[in-house]
Amino acid sequence: MADIYIGLMSGTSADSIDCATLDLSSKDIKVLDCRNFEIPKDLRKDVIQSSQLKKIEKELIDNLDFRMAEVLVETVKKIIDELNLEVEDIKAIGSHGQTIKHEPKSEMPYTLQIGDPQKISNDLKIRTVGNFRYDDIKAGGEGAPLTPVFHKIVFGEDKKKKVIVNIGGITNITALDHTEVIGFDTGPGNCLMDCWSRENNVGNYDDKGSWASLGTVNQSLLETMMDDDYFSRKYPKSTGPDYFNHKWIKDNIAKSDNKISPEDVQATLLQITVLSLVESINLLNLSKETIYLCGGGVHNEFLCNEITKQSKAKVNTTLDLGIDPDYVEAICFAWLAKQRIHNINFNLNKITGSKGEVYLGRIYEPSK
């Protein structure tokens, strides 16, 4: 009999919801289905605007929390219907939620994801695991990235050194070795390029990096941007599009004496993603290992070509390891939901810096 777990992931780009349906009745991870659902335009717009605000009122948070939960509920209903699933066969939903704020280094460290897991649980009458970052931050950790523990299980069985790089809104890296696992956010992934594309009416994103490819990297702006303290900070570290945002771009452009064309800015932003990643790979002495890319960034051909060129490494995608690069995170959170249901905890000291073993996720039972 199948033990069904559904993973829901809305990345920092806030463009869509990735859904993965797994059968975890054995030790093997059996992927039954993966699909993607767009986030309604009005909600996406409000999410992006809210993430750029310095302070968000509770009323707005509650509104977004409710609306995102509604979208996630409808998403699961479609999956249940289209896959002809029996609700009683679904052991749990793992819902990461949509990140609005991530401030692990503030005076009172916190992280904020919307998409109320209790509402999801209540509406669907299915146990839901959410708030995956909470306990890690409480234990003094960064709260992200969490995917390296999953990467170790699915990609590290052969005990060979390799690099897993997820390029979503933010880029995170997992260094897999047979002795330990290290993971952290290297810096922006797509978030700055997406932001600048919207600002200049190119679209919600730069398709295949074609706009950036028309520009020329402005070395002065590149140096100014790479001088940001985040890039020189030692890991464990994490960040979000609430930091690498529209204001961050504008503030750095303002430091430049010369007028820079929009496409040259875009070319430079792409290089920020490449350079911060390549520097992290070199820092970990992994430049001779194979890099496996996943996340939305795999569709940015110009970005991937630049990573290949500048890292001098062999660059593949996780498809070569057997998992669709678009759905690694959604699959991860379905898997993490099972770990939480079975009360399995993790030592993330080398990844997030938290102390001791922590549970990833809180369990929300349907209200009776």
Side-chain angles (χ1 to χ4, degrees):
M1 188 174 172
D3 282 358
I4 306 295
Y5 288 83
I6 295 175
L8 303 174
M9 180 66 196
S10 172
T12 42
S13 297
D15 52 352
S16 60
I17 299 161
D18 294 330
C19 312
T21 306
L22 313 185
D23 177 3
L24 298 178
S25 54
S26 68
K27 285 188 76 174
D28 295 330
I29 296 172
K30 186 179 179 184
V31 179
L32 301 178
D33 183 75
C34 289
R35 60 188 68 198
N36 178 276
F37 297 86
E38 279 196 15
I39 293 174
K41 288 180 182 178
D42 59 336
L43 178 57
R44 181 175 191 235
K45 182 182 176 185
D46 290 346
V47 164
I48 291 169
Q49 286 180 346
S50 300
S51 70
Q52 313 284 306
L53 296 174
K54 202 163 189 179
K55 185 181 178 183
I56 312 176
E57 298 298 328
K58 185 179 182 303
E59 186 179 352
L60 177 56
I61 294 171
D62 291 345
N63 174 270
L64 292 173
D65 202 26
F66 181 87
R67 288 163 62 198
M68 179 58 76
E70 281 195 317
V71 172
L72 292 169
V73 166
E74 289 307 309
T75 295
V76 175
K77 283 181 178 177
K78 287 175 186 172
I79 292 168
I80 291 171
D81 182 53
E82 291 172 20
L83 298 183
N84 293 315
L85 299 176
E86 297 292 338
V87 171
E88 51 269 26
D89 289 339
I90 302 173
K91 301 301 179 186
I93 295 166
S95 179
H96 175 270
Q98 173 67 55
T99 299
I100 298 288
K101 290 287 180 185
H102 184 66
E103 298 282 352
K105 292 297 184 189
S106 62
E107 194 174 329
M108 292 183 68
Y110 74 98
T111 187
L112 173 62
Q113 285 76 42
I114 58 165
D116 182 3
Q118 188 63 65
K119 176 174 170 55
I120 296 170
S121 179
N122 291 348
D123 289 5
L124 293 168
K125 301 291 184 284
I126 301 170
R127 177 188 289 166
T128 299
V129 181
N131 279 326
F132 284 92
R133 303 182 183 195
Y134 182 86
D135 284 0
D136 187 77
I137 284 186
K138 203 174 175 184
E142 292 277 330
L146 302 179
T147 48
V149 294
F150 174 70
H151 293 161
K152 180 185 179 182
I153 297 297
V154 295
F155 301 134
E157 272 191 318
D158 59 6
K159 309 293 185 190
K160 291 180 180 177
K161 283 187 178 183
K162 59 179 74 73
V163 185
I164 311 297
V165 174
N166 179 70
I167 306 176
I170 297 298
T171 299
N172 59 65
I173 186 171
T174 301
L176 288 177
D177 194 346
H178 65 279
T179 54
E180 65 178 4
V181 178
I182 293 171
F184 56 91
D185 290 346
T186 63
N190 302 313
C191 65
L192 294 178
M193 292 183 282
D194 290 352
C195 179
W196 193 243
S197 294
R198 289 192 298 270
E199 167 82 5
N200 289 276
N201 298 313
V202 170
N204 287 321
Y205 60 93
D206 183 5
D207 188 27
K208 298 180 181 177
S210 55
W211 187 40
S213 71
L214 299 175
T216 302
V217 176
N218 184 289
Q219 289 299 325
S220 173
L221 181 60
L222 181 65
E223 288 171 17
T224 299
M225 288 178 164
M226 286 303 297
D227 201 37
D228 189 285
D229 289 343
Y230 183 80
F231 300 119
S232 58
R233 190 193 306 167
K234 291 181 179 178
Y235 63 86
K237 60 180 181 177
S238 63
T239 187
D242 52 323
Y243 179 74
F244 287 110
N245 60 13
H246 181 259
K247 183 178 183 301
W248 190 88
I249 298 172
K250 290 287 192 182
D251 286 351
N252 279 288
I253 290 174
K255 295 174 188 175
S256 177
D257 294 332
N258 303 321
K259 182 170 171 57
I260 308 169
S261 71
E263 60 268 26
D264 286 357
V265 172
Q266 184 74 346
T268 306
L269 294 176
L270 184 138
Q271 284 303 315
I272 295 294
T273 296
V274 175
L275 198 54
S276 55
L277 171 60
V278 171
E279 286 185 355
S280 297
I281 290 168
N282 292 338
L283 176 71
L284 295 169
N285 295 315
L286 291 168
S287 57
K288 292 181 180 178
E289 310 305 331
T290 303
I291 300 168
Y292 295 92
L293 302 179
C294 58
V298 300
H299 302 291
N300 187 322
E301 292 176 5
F302 185 56
L303 173 65
C304 294
N305 289 338
E306 286 295 302
I307 292 170
T308 301
K309 187 165 68 177
Q310 295 188 42
S311 67
K312 298 187 174 74
K314 185 179 180 183
V315 179
N316 294 328
T317 76
T318 55
L319 196 59
D320 292 285
L321 298 175
I323 295 190
D324 188 326
D326 283 320
Y327 294 100
V328 173
E329 287 189 303
I331 294 168
C332 168
F333 285 99
W335 180 82
L336 282 176
K338 180 181 180 181
Q339 310 315 301
R340 185 63 189 90
I341 295 300
H342 289 268
N343 290 317
I344 295 169
N345 51 19
F346 299 90
N347 186 328
L348 298 181
N349 184 257
K350 294 279 188 180
I351 299 169
T352 66
S354 57
K355 294 172 177 60
E357 296 194 329
V358 296
Y359 290 108
L360 297 180
R362 297 199 149 194
I363 301 170
Y364 298 83
E365 300 286 356
S367 297
K368 293 179 180 177

Short mmCIF file of all heavy atoms in Angstrom, two decimals, residues 147-173:
data_model
loop_
_atom_site.label_atom_id
_atom_site.label_comp_id
_atom_site.label_asym_id
_atom_site.label_seq_id
_atom_site.Cartn_x
_atom_site.Cartn_y
_atom_site.Cartn_z
N THR A 147 17.89 22.09 2.29
CA THR A 147 17.97 21.01 1.29
C THR A 147 19.26 20.17 1.35
O THR A 147 19.22 19.02 0.91
CB THR A 147 17.81 21.59 -0.13
OG1 THR A 147 18.66 22.74 -0.27
CG2 THR A 147 16.37 21.98 -0.39
N PRO A 148 20.39 20.68 1.88
CA PRO A 148 21.58 19.83 1.90
C PRO A 148 21.40 18.48 2.60
O PRO A 148 22.03 17.50 2.20
CB PRO A 148 22.62 20.70 2.63
CG PRO A 148 22.25 22.10 2.23
CD PRO A 148 20.74 22.09 2.24
N VAL A 149 20.54 18.41 3.63
CA VAL A 149 20.34 17.11 4.30
C VAL A 149 19.68 16.11 3.35
O VAL A 149 19.96 14.90 3.39
CB VAL A 149 19.51 17.24 5.60
CG1 VAL A 149 20.26 18.03 6.64
CG2 VAL A 149 18.13 17.84 5.35
N PHE A 150 18.82 16.63 2.48
CA PHE A 150 18.17 15.79 1.47
C PHE A 150 19.15 15.44 0.36
O PHE A 150 19.20 14.30 -0.12
CB PHE A 150 16.96 16.54 0.91
CG PHE A 150 16.27 15.85 -0.24
CD1 PHE A 150 15.55 14.68 -0.05
CD2 PHE A 150 16.35 16.38 -1.52
CE1 PHE A 150 14.92 14.04 -1.12
CE2 PHE A 150 15.71 15.76 -2.59
CZ PHE A 150 15.00 14.58 -2.38
N HIS A 151 19.94 16.42 -0.06
CA HIS A 151 20.95 16.18 -1.10
C HIS A 151 21.88 15.04 -0.70
O HIS A 151 22.26 14.21 -1.54
CB HIS A 151 21.79 17.44 -1.34
CG HIS A 151 21.02 18.57 -1.95
ND1 HIS A 151 21.45 19.88 -1.89
CD2 HIS A 151 19.83 18.60 -2.60
CE1 HIS A 151 20.57 20.66 -2.50
NE2 HIS A 151 19.58 19.92 -2.94
N LYS A 152 22.24 14.98 0.58
CA LYS A 152 23.14 13.93 1.05
C LYS A 152 22.51 12.55 0.86
O LYS A 152 23.18 11.60 0.44
CB LYS A 152 23.47 14.16 2.53
CG LYS A 152 24.41 13.10 3.10
CD LYS A 152 24.62 13.28 4.58
CE LYS A 152 25.54 12.18 5.13
NZ LYS A 152 25.73 12.29 6.58
N ILE A 153 21.21 12.46 1.17
CA ILE A 153 20.51 11.17 1.07
C ILE A 153 20.36 10.71 -0.38
O ILE A 153 20.64 9.56 -0.72
CB ILE A 153 19.12 11.26 1.74
CG1 ILE A 153 19.26 11.54 3.24
CG2 ILE A 153 18.32 9.98 1.51
CD1 ILE A 153 19.96 10.47 4.04
N VAL A 154 19.94 11.63 -1.25
CA VAL A 154 19.62 11.21 -2.63
C VAL A 154 20.79 11.29 -3.60
O VAL A 154 20.83 10.55 -4.59
CB VAL A 154 18.42 12.01 -3.21
CG1 VAL A 154 17.16 11.71 -2.44
CG2 VAL A 154 18.70 13.50 -3.22
N PHE A 155 21.74 12.18 -3.32
CA PHE A 155 22.85 12.35 -4.26
C PHE A 155 24.20 11.87 -3.71
O PHE A 155 25.19 11.86 -4.43
CB PHE A 155 22.99 13.82 -4.67
CG PHE A 155 21.76 14.40 -5.31
CD1 PHE A 155 21.27 15.66 -4.92
CD2 PHE A 155 21.08 13.72 -6.30
CE1 PHE A 155 20.14 16.21 -5.52
CE2 PHE A 155 19.95 14.26 -6.90
CZ PHE A 155 19.49 15.50 -6.51
N GLY A 156 24.25 11.54 -2.43
CA GLY A 156 25.53 11.23 -1.80
C GLY A 156 25.80 9.78 -1.51
O GLY A 156 26.80 9.45 -0.86
N GLU A 157 24.93 8.91 -1.99
CA GLU A 157 25.08 7.47 -1.70
C GLU A 157 26.37 6.88 -2.23
O GLU A 157 26.93 5.96 -1.64
CB GLU A 157 23.88 6.69 -2.26
CG GLU A 157 22.72 6.60 -1.30
CD GLU A 157 21.68 5.60 -1.78
OE1 GLU A 157 21.37 5.58 -3.00
OE2 GLU A 157 21.19 4.83 -0.95
N ASP A 158 26.85 7.40 -3.36
CA ASP A 158 28.06 6.82 -3.97
C ASP A 158 29.34 7.28 -3.28
O ASP A 158 30.45 6.85 -3.66
CB ASP A 158 28.12 7.15 -5.45
CG ASP A 158 28.13 8.66 -5.72
OD1 ASP A 158 28.19 9.46 -4.76
OD2 ASP A 158 28.06 9.04 -6.91
N LYS A 159 29.22 8.15 -2.27
CA LYS A 159 30.37 8.63 -1.48
C LYS A 159 31.37 9.45 -2.29
O LYS A 159 32.49 9.70 -1.86
CB LYS A 159 31.12 7.47 -0.80
CG LYS A 159 30.26 6.52 0.00
CD LYS A 159 29.67 7.19 1.22
CE LYS A 159 28.90 6.18 2.08
NZ LYS A 159 28.13 6.82 3.14
N LYS A 160 30.97 9.87 -3.49
CA LYS A 160 31.87 10.67 -4.32
C LYS A 160 31.65 12.16 -4.06
O LYS A 160 30.53 12.60 -3.84
CB LYS A 160 31.62 10.38 -5.81
CG LYS A 160 32.04 8.98 -6.25
CD LYS A 160 31.75 8.78 -7.73
CE LYS A 160 32.16 7.39 -8.18
NZ LYS A 160 31.82 7.16 -9.61
N LYS A 161 32.72 12.92 -4.13
CA LYS A 161 32.60 14.37 -3.97
C LYS A 161 31.83 14.94 -5.15
O LYS A 161 32.07 14.56 -6.30
CB LYS A 161 33.98 15.03 -3.90
CG LYS A 161 34.69 14.88 -2.58
CD LYS A 161 35.95 15.71 -2.58
CE LYS A 161 36.67 15.63 -1.24
NZ LYS A 161 37.87 16.50 -1.20
N LYS A 162 30.92 15.83 -4.85
CA LYS A 162 30.20 16.52 -5.91
C LYS A 162 29.58 17.79 -5.33
O LYS A 162 29.47 17.95 -4.11
CB LYS A 162 29.13 15.62 -6.55
CG LYS A 162 28.09 15.09 -5.61
CD LYS A 162 27.06 14.23 -6.35
CE LYS A 162 27.57 12.87 -6.75
NZ LYS A 162 27.72 11.94 -5.60
N VAL A 163 29.16 18.67 -6.22
CA VAL A 163 28.58 19.95 -5.81
C VAL A 163 27.16 20.05 -6.36
O VAL A 163 26.95 19.91 -7.57
CB VAL A 163 29.42 21.14 -6.35
CG1 VAL A 163 28.86 22.46 -5.81
CG2 VAL A 163 30.88 20.98 -5.97
N ILE A 164 26.20 20.26 -5.46
CA ILE A 164 24.82 20.50 -5.87
C ILE A 164 24.54 21.99 -5.71
O ILE A 164 24.74 22.55 -4.63
CB ILE A 164 23.81 19.69 -5.02
CG1 ILE A 164 24.23 18.21 -4.92
CG2 ILE A 164 22.41 19.84 -5.58
CD1 ILE A 164 24.26 17.45 -6.21
N VAL A 165 24.10 22.63 -6.78
CA VAL A 165 23.83 24.07 -6.74
C VAL A 165 22.38 24.32 -7.14
O VAL A 165 21.97 23.99 -8.26
CB VAL A 165 24.78 24.85 -7.69
CG1 VAL A 165 24.39 26.32 -7.73
CG2 VAL A 165 26.22 24.69 -7.24
N ASN A 166 21.62 24.88 -6.21
CA ASN A 166 20.24 25.25 -6.51
C ASN A 166 20.19 26.74 -6.81
O ASN A 166 20.54 27.57 -5.97
CB ASN A 166 19.32 24.94 -5.33
CG ASN A 166 17.89 25.35 -5.61
OD1 ASN A 166 17.20 24.76 -6.42
ND2 ASN A 166 17.45 26.43 -4.95
N ILE A 167 19.77 27.08 -8.02
CA ILE A 167 19.64 28.49 -8.39
C ILE A 167 18.16 28.81 -8.50
O ILE A 167 17.50 28.57 -9.52
CB ILE A 167 20.35 28.79 -9.73
CG1 ILE A 167 21.81 28.34 -9.68
CG2 ILE A 167 20.28 30.30 -10.03
CD1 ILE A 167 22.57 28.51 -10.99
N GLY A 168 17.63 29.34 -7.42
CA GLY A 168 16.26 29.86 -7.41
C GLY A 168 16.37 31.36 -7.34
O GLY A 168 17.23 31.97 -8.00
N GLY A 169 15.55 32.01 -6.54
CA GLY A 169 15.72 33.44 -6.31
C GLY A 169 17.09 33.69 -5.70
O GLY A 169 17.80 34.63 -6.05
N ILE A 170 17.46 32.80 -4.76
CA ILE A 170 18.77 32.81 -4.13
C ILE A 170 19.51 31.55 -4.58
O ILE A 170 18.90 30.53 -4.89
CB ILE A 170 18.60 32.82 -2.58
CG1 ILE A 170 17.89 34.09 -2.11
CG2 ILE A 170 19.93 32.64 -1.86
CD1 ILE A 170 18.62 35.39 -2.40
N THR A 171 20.84 31.63 -4.63
CA THR A 171 21.64 30.45 -4.96
C THR A 171 22.15 29.81 -3.68
O THR A 171 22.70 30.50 -2.82
CB THR A 171 22.85 30.83 -5.84
OG1 THR A 171 22.38 31.41 -7.06
CG2 THR A 171 23.70 29.61 -6.16
N ASN A 172 21.94 28.50 -3.56
CA ASN A 172 22.59 27.79 -2.45
C ASN A 172 23.41 26.63 -2.97
O ASN A 172 23.13 26.06 -4.02
CB ASN A 172 21.60 27.38 -1.36
CG ASN A 172 20.50 26.47 -1.84
OD1 ASN A 172 20.76 25.34 -2.25
ND2 ASN A 172 19.26 26.95 -1.80
N ILE A 173 24.43 26.31 -2.22
CA ILE A 173 25.39 25.29 -2.62
C ILE A 173 25.43 24.19 -1.56
O ILE A 173 25.33 24.46 -0.36
CB ILE A 173 26.80 25.93 -2.80
CG1 ILE A 173 27.79 24.90 -3.36
CG2 ILE A 173 27.33 26.52 -1.50
CD1 ILE A 173 29.13 25.53 -3.77
#
